[in-house]
Amino acid sequence: SPASHFSPTAAHHKEKWGDKKYGDFASMFEHDSEKWDAGEWGKLFKEAGARYAVLTTKHHDGYLLWPSKVTSPTVEKQGFGGVPTVRPRHRHDLVGRFSAAMRASGLQVGVYYSGGLDWNFKGPFSAQPIPHEGSNWFGGVTGIPPVPEYATYADAHWRELIQRYDPDILWNDIGYPTKGQISDIAAGFYNENEDGVINDRFKQIFNKAPSIQDFATPEYETNKHTATNKWEGCRGIGFSFGYNQQEGLQDYISSKELITSFVDIVSKNG
């Protein structure tokens, strides 16, 4: 049986995958994602009444869902997920497929990007440890990589996403490196899309609102009163932002709860 000191997640990995490293899954994902029908998603979202959809282009692990031309010495040297020969970017353009499919179904397109966390620079794949989630996220001792190289890397990704996909929504997460050029990125975005909007998570200083934001994104909570500014309720169907085989129907928000939440959010300017 798995060693008792393993977390449930680590124990499951050890039992099912043995010593397989995180980066070893990249090729499996690339292969399986070829079956993905973005058009089917677009039709489903449209039928559900959605008017926009946001794709995670890079989450905290640093893996990109588009064949980016942007590189960095750190990423190229160390590889991805503990495998030196693997790079953290998909060889096919999933972001492009998503964007085209959403627009074909009449939906506006948003791009999510984890600007505050990237494990290639700070976290499991690097020599720099990441703090416990309960700690202060912002500042020199937090999860946001403090090196100028990462700020340049993230800035270039945002510019590339804007230029390649002409998104309607920029959805950053966690925060942003202090040396990041948010004003310049926002100016380029608004110049390309005067009706575009930016969320409230480009925060560079703890406990200080970002200089640029068009809507708030409270997570797994709601406003108690009608808000003056626009906001978006942010949550998963269950308690995970993605499929979790340990969750059952009892962990998912019910149809009644979902409708009630939707009505509550819209009634408060969300």
Side-chain angles (χ1 to χ4, degrees):
S1 61
S4 59
H5 66 275
F6 286 156
S7 69
T9 300
H12 170 78
H13 179 96
K14 187 70 175 177
E15 182 177 330
K16 185 172 180 61
W17 301 105
D19 295 327
K20 202 176 187 70
K21 295 183 181 297
Y22 193 95
D24 290 324
F25 290 97
S27 60
M28 296 171 59
F29 174 70
E30 283 197 351
H31 176 269
D32 290 346
S33 60
E34 282 302 297
K35 306 171 187 176
W36 174 51
D37 186 344
E40 185 178 8
W41 277 25
K43 294 174 184 177
L44 177 63
F45 298 164
K46 185 68 174 180
E47 290 174 3
R51 290 183 290 180
Y52 69 96
V54 181
L55 180 70
T56 299
T57 66
K58 186 203 83 167
H59 204 248
H60 308 332
D61 62 359
Y63 188 82
L64 312 176
L65 295 193
W66 80 99
S68 175
K69 301 298 183 183
V70 177
T71 62
S72 84
T74 294
V75 171
E76 296 306 310
K77 180 179 179 180
Q78 72 187 16
F80 173 67
V83 184
T85 58
V86 177
R87 296 295 174 265
R89 50 184 173 267
H90 205 290
R91 60 192 175 94
H92 297 300
D93 193 358
L94 301 190
V95 181
R97 287 164 57 182
F98 171 85
S99 300
M102 295 308 112
R103 292 195 168 105
S105 292
L107 277 68
Q108 291 185 304
V109 173
V111 286
Y112 165 108
Y113 180 90
S114 176
L117 294 179
D118 191 312
W119 294 349
N120 295 302
F121 291 86
K122 194 168 187 179
F125 308 151
S126 77
Q128 299 296 319
I130 197 168
H132 185 271
E133 189 167 344
S135 66
N136 183 339
W137 280 110
F138 300 94
V141 295
T142 66
I144 301 178
V147 295
E149 180 191 350
Y150 175 64
T152 301
Y153 184 70
D155 284 349
H157 278 159
W158 270 120
R159 292 189 179 101
E160 190 175 48
L161 288 168
I162 292 167
Q163 292 167 3
R164 288 185 66 152
Y165 308 112
D166 190 25
D168 303 291
I169 304 161
L170 302 190
W171 217 108
N172 190 67
D173 200 9
I174 303 297
Y176 208 67
T178 55
K179 296 185 182 300
Q181 298 179 353
I182 295 175
S183 295
D184 182 69
I185 292 169
F189 171 63
Y190 290 135
N191 285 337
E192 293 292 329
N193 190 336
E194 61 182 16
D195 294 321
V197 292
I198 298 175
N199 78 334
D200 64 340
R201 300 194 185 189
F202 275 99
K203 184 184 294 185
Q204 293 177 291
I205 301 175
F206 184 64
N207 279 338
K208 184 177 180 180
S211 57
I212 298 171
Q213 59 172 306
D214 295 308
F215 65 100
T217 56
E219 192 164 306
Y220 280 93
E221 60 182 355
T222 185
N223 286 330
K224 295 181 179 179
H225 307 286
T226 300
T228 302
N229 299 321
K230 286 292 184 180
W231 59 285
E232 173 192 79
C234 175
R235 61 156 297 155
I237 295 175
F239 298 102
S240 304
F241 279 109
Y243 174 69
N244 182 345
Q245 67 177 7
Q246 298 302 316
E247 288 187 336
L249 291 177
Q250 71 277 7
D251 299 306
Y252 291 172
I253 186 171
S254 69
S255 298
K256 181 179 180 180
E257 291 171 324
L258 190 61
I259 293 171
T260 301
S261 173
F262 180 73
V263 172
D264 178 68
I265 289 170
V266 173
S267 71
K268 295 172 180 173
N269 203 34

